[in-house]
Amino acid sequence: MATKKDGNGKASGVLTVERRPDGVAIIRMDIPGESVNTLQSNFSEEFGHVFDQLERDGELVAVVFTSGKADSFIVGADVNMIKAVKTAHQAAELSRTGQQGMDRLAAFRVPVVAAIHGACLGGGLEVALACHGRVASDDKKTKLGLPEVQLGLLPGAGGTQRLPRLVGVQAALDMMLTGKQIDGRRAKKMGLVDEVVPQAILLEVACEWALALAQKKTDKKKKKFGSKELTELALTGTPLGRKVLFDQAKKQLLAKTHGNYPGPERIVEVVKAGLEKGMAAGLEAEAQAFGELVVSPEAAQLMSIFFATTELKKDNGVDDPGVKARPVHKIGMLGAGLMGAGIAYVTAAMAKKQVRLKDRDDAGLASGMKYVGDIVDGRLKKKRLSKNDRDVIMARVTATTDYSGFTDAEVVVEAVFEDVGLKQRMIADIEEHGHPEAVFASNTSSIPITRLAEGAKHPERVIGMHYFSPVHKMPLLEIIVTKKTAPWVTATCVELGKKQGKTVIVVNDGVGFYTSRILAPYMNEAAYLLSEGVPVEKIDKALTDWGYPVGPITLLDEVGIDVGEKVGKIMLEAFGDRMVPPAGMEKLVADKRFGRKNGRGFYLYGKKKKGKKEVDESVYQVLGVEPKADLPAHEIAERLALQMVNEAALCFGEGILRSARDGDIGAIFGLGFPPFRGGPFRYVDTVGALEIVRRMERHEKKHGRRFTPAPVLVEMARSGATFHGERPVSPGSVSPATGGDAARVRV
């Protein structure tokens, strides 16, 4: 259909109006100079200006609201705008302003339909919810969600009230409490959108839908009352049903958050208020809760993580921003075990690169290819990809027992046994049989890359790429550089990691690098608590209550007790006193207790029972301890957390880290350090270096030198400096080599 343009609806270049002969006005949102649309402080004013003009248009029949961006609708509110708010009152007023704009949209005199392609998140989805209809594209880029909870917030422009009324309370709570994003197909199935069509006809179908609404000729079917709908009605239609629904929702979320995140609890409260007292009361509860959450310490930390990850997306991993990554079309993958196959999957599926997978025999290759296939088939079963997508991904991965197919692999990643000699032989093999300028990346978790590069003809092309298991689920990639690593090599691997869907940090070489190193004393302290007779389940619960996703003993069972012992020996050799393990832990490996992988660890395995895991009580006999120590949970958590925080500070002082930002992200994304605490370095800034040092010294007097505070912390306690903020310390500024005990002042 032909259209004519009318400039009268233009507002500061952000909202433009195109009028069609059939009476439909198409409003396009397109913020100049930005890759995506966000709701900014002036949106409501411009929005009102456009609708004021449309209100006076006697020929107007319907409106379609869409985006002028190629691949996104509206990705949410501008987080910088929210972060700039200083008081709860200001934040609540910001929410009310947004609500008023959405109310006007919902009450507009002619139907308004949202035409959605690309990311429709947060405030973007709230705009769509306020419309009278929604049509989405079937493109993979189209995702709908309310992810505010991930910033410690809740939807503040009516989303907590409109979503439950559209899709039902249970489905709405699931979306808001998890922040999950759903595609167009799933959105239509749950009633969030009315139609899902190819992008090419999205706008035309949206216009047709808007005209049908105007003429009351939509083919919307009456709500069917199946078992799901009847259950929803029973739970929301009576006071008793609502009590059961919201009590159960709160119980489930507390089991996950342990009361550390106020956002989810406020979401439940606000949805309940709207359901029981009506829309107006629900909106006011939403504004009040939004205001309080915006200025909460949890939101401040979660927003700091958001900004840090945003910065990392633009970071090439080297100090010179002008260094460019070289193109990578194919990677060689040495080792088809769980790590190697996992790396092959993210390379083929996410980065869309060719992978040549090598293992020593056909059995190993078959296992690796099956692992990749199982992940892909799992996504196919969940309808996250098509059969054609599956075939394309699998076609990108080919297998071999020799080095055929490696001559055109620009990057080779090694994920074999932690054996220095074996890894060095592979470097030599790639230099002989691989691409003439191949980058060799080791997935080692603890062996220094400098040591692996000894004897290499081109040490400048040897680097570490430390992935986390399971690779397709864990978000972090830790890249390790030596003094000889070429900047272009670093930039190339960083770019590859980003394309694999990873959040990438770059650290300098050293035993254990950063993540493995700060995990070691944390796990070691858990072993000390065990040796003191603190029960397994009490240790784990203390740390999950403190905010970790799993307890340290559970983690040790998952990683492997034998693996933990090997890494512990490496750390002890490198760092001495503070890594000395308690006596008796070697008995576990002697008893062939390796953890989940062989069904023998701290917990019982093999029993198909639902509910809480049971501790294998016989482990205490092996260790020769009686599990009767009555230590307060806060002391248990403090001892372990301080060990991780102190080691992170030591890494910072020694220059292992490029920045405190990277240290926070590495600990959170790689090891599960509680996000609401902001990471080890923001935690120090929040508590105060002086208080951290005092706590360390208190434990040092009782437990010995493993609690000696890092020199950088002592210096910060003395000077009042911080890791973030206006008076930040610099990486490598204070280290044991230059400071040592002489630099310490008891505080």
Side-chain angles (χ1 to χ4, degrees), residues 132-419:
H132 306 102
R134 287 151 295 280
V135 180
S137 80
D138 60 4
D139 195 281
K140 291 177 184 177
K141 296 186 182 77
T142 297
K143 298 290 180 184
L144 300 91
L146 293 173
E148 287 87 349
V149 71
Q150 295 169 357
L151 294 178
L153 307 175
L154 52 65
T160 65
Q161 304 305 303
R162 290 193 173 89
L163 185 62
R165 285 166 172 77
L166 185 65
V167 303
V169 175
Q170 294 181 93
L173 284 176
D174 181 49
M175 284 187 70
M176 288 188 283
L177 293 175
T178 61
K180 69 169 58 172
Q181 300 175 19
I182 60 175
D183 59 21
R185 180 190 57 79
R186 290 169 68 199
K188 185 174 189 301
K189 187 176 180 181
M190 70 189 294
L192 182 53
V193 301
D194 302 301
E195 291 289 344
V196 179
V197 298
Q199 183 194 358
I201 60 172
L202 173 66
L203 201 58
E204 193 60 40
V205 172
C207 290
E208 290 173 4
W209 189 264
L211 287 169
L213 282 173
Q215 298 161 10
K216 297 184 169 36
K217 292 181 180 179
T218 65
D219 59 353
K220 278 191 176 184
K221 296 174 183 175
K222 288 185 179 179
K223 188 115 174 142
K224 291 182 180 178
F225 282 90
S227 59
K228 252 187 196 176
E229 288 73 22
L230 288 171
T231 300
E232 175 85 14
L233 186 62
L235 287 172
T236 60
T238 65
L240 179 59
R242 289 193 292 270
K243 185 177 188 311
V244 171
L245 172 63
F246 289 107
D247 284 354
Q248 188 63 23
K250 191 166 184 178
K251 182 181 176 182
Q252 290 175 352
L253 75 87
L254 286 175
K256 293 180 180 178
T257 67
H258 301 276
N260 291 318
Y261 296 85
E265 292 183 57
R266 299 307 298 272
I267 288 172
V268 172
E269 292 170 8
V270 168
V271 172
K272 184 180 180 184
L275 195 64
E276 292 182 338
K277 301 175 184 177
M279 184 80 167
L283 288 172
E284 181 53 28
E286 176 186 270
Q288 290 283 355
F290 182 82
E292 292 165 16
L293 289 172
V294 165
V295 295
S296 69
E298 293 84 3
Q301 300 292 23
L302 293 171
M303 281 191 272
S304 75
I305 295 168
F306 170 82
F307 286 114
T309 54
T310 301
E311 288 172 5
L312 281 167
K313 289 175 184 176
K314 304 170 186 174
D315 189 350
N316 67 354
V318 297
D319 294 334
D320 181 358
V323 174
K324 302 297 182 186
R326 293 189 182 179
V328 176
H329 305 94
K330 180 179 182 180
I331 78 157
M333 188 67 239
L334 302 176
L338 295 184
M339 293 301 293
I343 296 166
Y345 167 76
V346 296
T347 306
M350 306 298 291
K352 298 179 172 56
K353 312 265 183 214
Q354 299 292 321
V355 182
R356 187 64 164 168
L357 184 62
K358 180 185 182 300
D359 208 279
R360 59 187 176 185
D361 54 39
D362 291 338
L365 287 172
S367 177
M369 293 297 289
K370 181 180 183 302
Y371 185 83
V372 176
D374 286 346
I375 298 173
V376 177
D377 288 341
R379 295 192 68 208
L380 177 64
K381 189 176 180 181
K382 292 178 181 177
K383 298 184 179 178
R384 301 289 171 82
L385 46 77
S386 67
K387 288 183 179 179
N388 183 62
D389 291 333
R390 180 206 184 278
D391 294 342
V392 169
I393 291 169
M394 293 306 297
R396 291 189 183 120
V397 186
T398 59
T400 182
T401 55
D402 55 30
Y403 285 103
S404 61
F406 273 72
T407 54
D408 57 346
E410 296 97 340
V411 176
V412 175
V413 183
E414 162 272 306
V416 299
F417 298 113
E418 292 287 85
D419 180 279

Side-chain angles (χ1 to χ4, degrees), residues 662-676:
D662 292 2
D664 285 334
I665 293 300
I668 292 168
F669 284 39
L671 305 177
F673 190 94
F676 75 96

